[in-house]
Amino acid sequence: MTMTMWKSRNRRTASVLAIVCLTTALGLPATAQAAGSTARCTSGAPGIGDPYYPNYGNGGYQVRKYNLDVTYDPATDVLDGVAGIKASATKSLCRFNLDLVGMTVRSIKVNGARARWSRTEHELTVIPKHPIRRGDRFQVKVKYDGVPHEFEIPGFGARAGFMTTPDGATVAGQPEVAAGWFPVNDHPLDKARYSFDVTVPKGYEVVANGFLTGRETKRGWTTYEWDPREPMASYLATIDIGHWDVHKWRTETKLPVYDAVDSAITGGLRAAIDSSLARQGEVLDVLGEAFGPYPFSTVGAIVEGQDDLFFALETQTRPVYSKLFWQDAQGNPVNGDSVVVHELAHQWFGDKVALARWQDIWLNEGFATYAEWLWAEHEGQATPQEIFQATYDAIPADDPLWDVVIGDPTVDLLFDNAVYVRGAMTLQALREKVGDDDFWR
Ligand code: TRP
Ligand code: ZN
């Protein structure tokens, strides 16, 4: 079970968290009105309307594409970025917001013209020189730099977000990650296309979503070009910097696979990890049988060697995994197939079909946990109904797990075990009720 392990491990280590607290770095004063006619333009909203996270995402526009051109130096942890954002206005805008936490903004242009901006802890308000008309496409170019902001997993206190590691960086968080390293409309309601140009000192390697489309070394720095190809929610974007053993292969159905395992992971642990990754094609077959065709053009894994990463995340096409899923408490290698099943199930539930509100998180976690039950059946271990019954019997009636309202768990319990376990139980109960024909329709 993905979360149980994740939970118990981070309970032991919650105190080692170092949260980088960068707040308002100020841009130009934003009190002045934009030049030109402001008569009929409006302010884009600072939030997209999520009841749990009122200032996440923004209103008044939709992003079409992020071109992220970033240079990251593991020696200083500093990221130097140019974010090119192509968007369409859904309202006429004299100003609009992006989400950005920490980092220093150096300049902003909108449609090539210098813009003003102001900042609060989470909001970057951009005031273009010329108002943007409703329906128009526009381009924003933000130059920024700094040590990316790190977040915590809600309710757990474990580190998440853009995490610097001894040999580079790991980028994974939910719901908070993207705004810590690039200006973004940070909500799954606004999926967009991406392209990444990540430059690192020669000798470091970068893995991200999608396809590696270029690599070039000049004057001691290497630029990796990654193309995720399909649109994605902002929290699913990842760039992972380090030293990787890369394995490129194809499943039996010819789907391209790109696996990257931290080169520091060796021995029995490495063998256990490799054995799970080798089964990804089979996992996708089983899940495809249940959920329909795999929704993306590539797949794979990023397995991190850092000791203080306590989770896996369904980063699109290429989940990030903690190596700890393949280790027991004594450090002996264990079978970790089910976490791969879980994260690959999220490619359907969470990634392809994304949440409209974070409070609906059980639609991600309940389905991904149910996928683990389907896998257990495929492996001949137990049927979903048997797992349902055993789970039901194992949890005492007065356990707080029964009290969580999984459709409205509150921000602190967003990733509570109840959301996972009772989410999957809900699906099994429904299946029992309506019968297989309707359940699988
Ligand atoms: N969605 C992840 C999973 O179940 C777990 C998770 C919850 C997580 N919150 C997170 C991962 C924050 C990274 C950061 O697979
Ligand atoms: Zn999950």
Side-chain angles (χ1 to χ4, degrees):
M1 181 111 332
T2 317
M3 292 299 287
T4 313
M5 181 256 188
W6 177 80
K7 231 169 132 173
S8 55
R9 286 201 182 265
N10 83 53
R11 230 179 246 138
R12 279 191 278 131
T13 53
S15 55
V16 297
L17 291 173
I19 303 302
V20 183
C21 250
L22 299 174
T23 40
T24 38
L26 287 173
L28 300 172
T31 41
Q33 283 291 332
S37 163
T38 55
R40 274 178 297 152
C41 63
T42 59
S43 298
I48 210 165
D50 191 303
Y52 277 24
Y53 295 99
N55 59 7
Y56 285 22
N58 302 283
Y61 66 94
Q62 280 175 338
V63 176
R64 312 169 63 82
K65 183 157 190 204
Y66 297 92
N67 292 303
L68 302 179
D69 187 345
V70 302
T71 299
Y72 179 76
D73 188 353
T76 57
D77 298 338
V78 170
L79 179 143
D80 211 307
V82 181
I85 303 170
K86 293 183 180 172
S88 308
T90 55
K91 296 203 292 187
S92 68
L93 295 170
C94 342
R95 55 180 68 200
F96 61 89
N97 280 29
L98 288 158
D99 301 309
L100 183 65
V101 182
M103 309 300 287
T104 301
V105 174
R106 300 293 178 182
S107 72
I108 303 184
K109 283 183 176 175
V110 178
N111 293 331
R114 277 194 166 270
R116 297 166 181 275
W117 72 91
S118 69
R119 300 195 62 183
T120 59
E121 195 185 337
H122 190 270
E123 298 299 314
L124 168 60
T125 303
V126 180
I127 302 125
K129 189 159 185 212
H130 308 290
I132 300 158
R133 283 173 313 185
R134 179 192 170 141
D136 278 3
R137 294 190 181 185
F138 63 102
Q139 300 207 15
V140 188
K141 190 168 167 183
V142 182
K143 289 194 179 166
Y144 63 102
D145 55 63
V147 177
H149 185 83
E150 192 173 297
F151 292 97
E152 286 181 26
I153 300 171
F156 288 89
R159 68 194 297 226
F162 195 113
M163 294 167 273
T164 61
T165 64
D167 78 334
T170 305
V171 179
Q174 185 186 17
E176 298 173 301
V177 52
W181 68 283
F182 64 97
V184 54
N185 193 23
D186 202 4
H187 196 280
L189 269 179
D190 191 19
K191 278 192 186 183
R193 293 177 191 279
Y194 284 77
S195 81
F196 305 113
D197 274 19
V198 185
T199 303
V200 290
K202 186 178 172 211
Y204 287 91
E205 295 157 334
V206 182
V207 193
N209 316 85
F211 291 91
L212 178 63
T213 51
R215 171 169 42 185
E216 198 190 358
T217 301
K218 268 193 225 153
R219 292 185 293 275
W221 293 78
T222 307
T223 301
Y224 286 79
E225 231 179 82
W226 281 90
D227 176 8
R229 204 161 301 173
E230 292 93 9
M232 59 187 181
S234 50
Y235 79 100
L236 299 171
T238 190
I239 57 168
D240 297 270
I241 298 156
H243 303 288
W244 305 104
D245 289 343
V246 171
H247 182 207
K248 282 177 70 170
W249 54 290
R250 281 175 187 268
T251 64
E252 269 175 32
T253 64
K254 300 286 172 273
L255 183 71
V257 189
Y258 192 107
D259 293 331
V261 180
D262 193 324
S263 310
I265 306 173
T266 56
L269 175 61
R270 176 57 182 273
I273 291 167
D274 288 346
S275 128
S276 293
L277 300 188
R279 299 190 74 183
Q280 287 173 103
E282 187 186 350
V283 170
L284 292 180
D285 286 348
V286 170
L287 298 179
E289 195 68 35
F291 304 148
Y294 176 70
F296 304 121
S297 50
T298 178
V299 76
I302 302 167
V303 186
E304 278 287 358
Q306 73 198 72
D307 292 321
D308 61 350
L309 180 70
F310 298 106
F311 56 76
L313 183 67
E314 59 267 26
T315 38
Q316 190 160 302
T317 67
R318 195 143 300 122
V320 170
Y321 299 93
S322 161
K323 67 177 176 190
L324 301 174
F325 287 103
W326 287 273
Q327 254 177 10
D328 68 13
Q330 287 70 49
N332 302 312
V334 296
N335 182 311
D337 293 353
S338 67
V339 71
V340 175
V341 174
H342 184 102
E343 303 313 331
L344 292 182
H346 276 310
Q347 303 303 308
W348 282 262
F349 297 103
D351 295 9
K352 177 67 183 182
V353 179
L355 295 179
R357 303 184 299 187
W358 281 111
Q359 78 176 71
D360 297 326
I361 188 68
W362 86 271
L363 295 172
N364 289 5
E365 301 308 344
F367 280 76
T369 304
Y370 196 72
E372 295 179 55
W373 296 9
L374 296 173
W375 180 256
E377 183 172 39
H378 169 80
E379 292 284 86
Q381 293 160 351
T383 65
Q385 181 57 28
E386 285 164 356
I387 301 172
F388 174 98
Q389 196 59 51
T391 308
Y392 186 87
D393 294 342
I395 306 167
D398 59 356
D399 193 292
L401 186 125
W402 299 117
D403 299 330
V404 178
V405 179
I406 64 169
D408 190 6
T410 73
V411 169
D412 272 357
L413 298 185
L414 206 53
F415 297 103
D416 192 82
N417 220 14
V419 170
Y420 287 70
V421 171
R422 285 186 35 231
M425 292 178 82
T426 301
L427 293 174
Q428 180 56 25
L430 178 67
R431 181 175 173 182
E432 283 292 298
K433 186 83 183 166
V434 303
D436 273 3
D437 282 356
D438 283 338
F439 185 77
W440 291 115
R441 198 140 55 114

